[in-house]
Amino acid sequence: MKLKPFVQAALALATVVAATPAVHAAAQVEVLHYWTSGGEAKSIAELKKMMEAKGVAWKDFAVAGGAGENATTALKARVIAGSAPTAAQIKGPSIQEWGQEGVLANIDAAATEGKWDSLLPSVVSNVMKYKGHYVAVPVNVHRVNWLWVNPEVLAKAGAKAPTNMDEFFVAAEKIKKAGLIAVAHGGQPWQDTTVFESVVLGTGGAAFYDKALVKLDQAALTGPQMLKSFETLAKIKTYIDKDAAGRDWNLATAMVINGKAGMQFMGDWAKGEFTAAGKVAGKDFLCLPAPGTEKAFTFNIDSLAMFKVKNADEQKAQLSLASAVMSPEFQEVFNLNKGSIPVRAGVSRAKFDACATRSMDDMAAASKAGGLEPSMAHGMAIDSAKAGAIQDVVAKFMNSAMTPQAAVQALAKAAKTK
């Protein structure tokens, strides 16, 4: 992420920002984020309360829309203008890219005091560090490799909940024969890639997933296991309805909720849709690891990266913000609202449902067994240019007659994108 080429595109916005400098209180944090939906907004309101209770003023810089693209544009403009916020919602490799720009703050003092290294799995804490120093604080963990199932649809079709790909296709065929849609899906590139990465994980296992979609090993990308993944994905395509193109993910989830479809591959943000519809986990809907991925866990972590601030009061307030985000109290309230799970150990499970507690157990087990992996589809594993190129290949495969053999070759080429 070189900021210089961005200057012209952001100049107008940067000029406006520079012309209207923020008036800083003695102790204030300004937080740029895109948590603007109902549950997310509630969570941020709680964090604001926690900071105000510590005597720190909260300046909200919420930028809605575009899954964070709009927020990134605003952040770049602010940094160019020399008025970076205290913290900004950034995740995955993007944290490293901002670190390379020399604009992130060292928050080791908060991490040491809070014993973060002992509370976070190393695969998570490493993402929050730049050159060995904490520069960001994790907010939550989303599990991506879930399969959401309507048990009533299974019962109507005489099918059982699948644990592997063979069982998945048996269930899908029975649902289809019962006149219902087997797989609810939204034909958007990021959704296509979400299904794809769970298929790679399910057919090849965590070690293969890591080699292929995290390390981008060319032998793994072009080998028989990746070919099998695309062949499996091609078969899944046959169980998706013809109207899937362009459908939003939550509308696909609604199809499972109302019994029009039996199953959906989607991260645990889908649970919020079931909960909002008054459905109970384990009774009205099932949350199962995507077929074949029971011992693995692909994660998508929201985090706040901390930017260099000038005076001692601001630096102290920034460390206070980082500590508040990692507190058990905030981790509980944020994740109950978001549908995700706490990123740190030691948070009470009392208020979390069956899906969340299963997710907590599976994350702990996967972390110990080496099956905890960053989600490629959700910006946690590789840089944005390569991820975008891979997403294009998968979307083309899902929406054309492209063969698995051609897809494997295109995937390997996409992984070399600079």
Side-chain angles (χ1 to χ4, degrees):
M1 175 195 298
K2 294 298 174 193
L3 289 178
K4 292 183 182 70
F6 186 82
V7 173
Q8 281 185 319
L11 194 57
L13 184 51
T15 305
V16 170
V17 172
T20 54
V23 178
H24 289 287
Q28 173 181 277
V29 291
E30 183 183 16
V31 182
L32 190 162
H33 64 89
Y34 47 96
W35 288 306
T36 54
S37 75
E40 295 168 342
K42 272 189 207 168
S43 300
I44 287 299
E46 289 298 322
L47 185 56
K48 178 182 177 180
K49 272 189 216 166
M50 289 173 74
M51 294 308 294
E52 288 175 346
K54 293 171 183 259
V56 177
W58 176 279
K59 187 175 182 187
D60 203 53
F61 188 175
V63 182
E69 289 96 340
N70 296 343
T72 300
T73 300
L75 178 61
K76 286 178 179 177
R78 285 291 299 270
V79 173
I80 289 165
S83 61
T86 314
Q89 185 183 349
I90 301 170
K91 66 181 187 179
S94 293
I95 294 170
Q96 304 306 307
E97 291 172 14
W98 281 106
Q100 288 161 17
E101 295 295 334
V103 293
L104 296 184
N106 181 326
I107 55 168
D108 283 345
T112 302
E113 185 184 353
K115 300 183 172 62
W116 293 6
D117 278 342
S118 66
L119 295 173
L120 298 171
S122 59
V123 70
V124 174
S125 60
N126 289 342
V127 176
M128 302 301 135
K129 293 176 181 178
Y130 178 68
K131 292 189 174 176
H133 298 287
Y134 277 99
V135 293
V137 58
V139 177
N140 64 344
V141 180
H142 281 294
R143 186 182 195 176
V144 178
N145 61 311
W146 279 122
L147 183 73
W148 303 92
V149 179
N150 185 319
E152 274 191 21
V153 171
L154 290 186
K156 277 182 192 170
K160 66 172 189 173
T163 60
N164 57 44
M165 274 298 173
D166 289 339
E167 291 178 2
F168 172 81
F169 286 120
V170 169
E173 187 61 28
K174 287 184 174 180
I175 293 167
K176 190 175 181 179
K177 282 182 176 169
L180 297 165
I181 296 162
V183 180
H185 181 64
Q188 296 171 341
W190 74 268
Q191 293 189 61
D192 294 337
T193 313
T194 298
V195 178
F196 168 70
E197 76 170 19
S198 283
V199 168
V200 171
L201 187 66
T203 56
F208 174 73
Y209 172 96
D210 188 82
K211 200 177 274 189
L213 298 186
V214 180
K215 296 189 173 67
L216 301 180
D217 177 80
Q218 284 288 312
L221 289 169
T222 55
Q225 197 62 61
M226 187 56 75
L227 184 64
K228 184 183 176 188
S229 294
F230 274 109
E231 287 169 348
T232 303
L233 191 61
K235 194 171 178 183
I236 289 172
K237 274 203 301 183
T238 66
Y239 292 102
I240 295 169
D241 68 291
K242 65 182 189 322
D243 298 322
R247 180 186 289 142
D248 287 336
W249 70 269
N250 54 312
L251 298 180
T253 306
M255 292 164 65
V256 179
I257 292 170
N258 63 31
K260 285 185 180 175
M263 302 178 282
Q264 181 190 19
F265 291 88
M266 190 50 62
D268 57 18
W269 47 91
K271 188 180 71 175
E273 299 298 307
F274 287 95
T275 305
K279 305 298 182 182
V280 178
K283 176 175 168 274
D284 303 313
F285 67 97
L286 307 178
C287 45
L288 308 173
T293 73
E294 187 172 357
K295 293 182 179 176
F297 189 113
T298 43
F299 63 82
N300 177 21
I301 294 175
D302 289 317
S303 52
L304 286 176
M306 301 294 169
F307 284 76
K308 286 179 179 175
V309 289
K310 288 160 189 166
N311 67 51
D313 283 332
E314 286 180 304
Q315 289 164 4
K316 191 176 174 185
Q318 186 175 61
L319 293 173
S320 184
L321 172 64
S323 298
V325 168
M326 271 289 280
S327 70
E329 296 81 10
F330 179 71
Q331 290 277 321
E332 180 186 76
V333 72
F334 185 90
N335 289 291
L336 284 170
N337 284 328
K338 190 93 160 51
S340 44
I341 61 171
V343 67
R344 57 158 290 167
V347 177
S348 170
R349 296 179 168 210
K351 295 178 184 175
F352 288 92
D353 66 17
C355 293
T357 52
R358 166 82 190 255
S359 193
M360 291 174 194
D361 289 340
D362 287 358
M363 180 179 168
S367 182
K368 282 180 188 168
L372 190 59
E373 293 289 341
S375 168
M376 181 277 296
H378 294 272
M380 295 303 302
I382 57 178
D383 71 63
S384 55
K386 289 182 174 66
I390 288 172
Q391 184 172 273
D392 289 345
V393 172
V394 176
K396 184 178 179 185
F397 180 77
M398 291 291 282
N399 294 285
S400 72
M402 188 183 205
T403 65
Q405 291 82 359
V408 163
Q409 295 307 313
L411 187 75
K413 186 179 177 184
K416 294 179 178 178
T417 302
K418 289 183 180 176

